[in-house]
Amino acid sequence: MVLALAEILRRAVEVQYDHNMVSYRPELYASAGGELLVVAMLLSWALTAVYRPDTIASNPLQDRVGYNNLCVGWDMAPARYVAAPLFGLIIWFENRYMMLDFWRASLTPGLSKVKENIVLVANFLNAVSWTFACLIFVIQADEWPAGHTAAFVQKVVFGYIAYVANFIETDESTHRTFRLLLLCIRPVPVLRRIDEHPRANPVVRDCRFRLLVVRLLGCAGLHAPPRP
């Protein structure tokens, strides 16, 4: 945990002593965003479990889909007062990654202008999408569930576009691994649709939630490898 954050801080300190040494690794910023997301989730669920256990037992999202998704932990105060500022930092790190990734693409020898423009557009859209994602803390789930959900779903869509752009940007030798990762990710929306059916088995829904927790905690450290 917080390995990327520590590395970013270490490099920042080194630059203070040697101004001629400026080295950026874009993936560190994406990984730092993932690490902060895990920290925000853990703190939020701990606060909600202590101060608002009734929210975990019953909430608008659970009424709609039949189980608690991970966002339930930070939907109510006091957890949201901690998660929202942390999410602002996450947005900064993710947008910083998008900027550095485009700089790298523009400096990559042999990368065509068309591919460079694809990376530019995809990264810009994803950066804007991350900014709009903070609406999950503005639009209350109990006041407008559809708007609250849309603020998150749009991030999934534009995040996928950014990953596809990375696929276009990277060397073809990395494509086989990337296709395997996409193959693993692709069934997730299908499983979600099956599991959100009104007659879905409650045990299956519970297992689905536990799987999401493992996926979040496990994939935070793997946030960078699919990228160039």
Side-chain angles (χ1 to χ4, degrees), residues 36-108:
L36 282 174
L37 180 61
V38 173
V39 171
M41 281 290 180
L42 292 176
L43 290 175
S44 298
W45 274 92
L47 289 171
T48 299
V50 172
Y51 295 103
R52 295 295 299 271
D54 57 302
T55 300
I56 299 176
S58 178
N59 58 76
L61 291 177
Q62 187 183 69
D63 294 340
R64 289 173 69 90
V65 301
Y67 65 91
N68 287 327
N69 67 17
L70 291 172
C71 295
V72 168
W74 62 26
D75 280 345
M76 297 294 178
R80 63 186 296 120
Y81 301 146
V82 174
L86 285 175
F87 202 82
L89 287 176
I90 293 170
I91 292 173
W92 185 87
F93 277 108
E94 294 293 344
N95 285 358
R96 179 66 168 166
Y97 163 75
M98 293 299 158
M99 181 181 69
L100 292 175
D101 180 62
F102 171 68
W103 286 358
R104 177 172 54 190
S106 63
L107 295 173
T108 300

Side-chain angles (χ1 to χ4, degrees), residues 10-25:
R10 185 188 67 80
R11 293 189 179 204
V13 171
E14 287 182 349
V15 170
Q16 298 300 316
Y17 292 97
D18 185 357
H19 297 286
N20 295 320
M21 185 194 70
V22 179
S23 175
Y24 291 112
R25 183 184 165 201

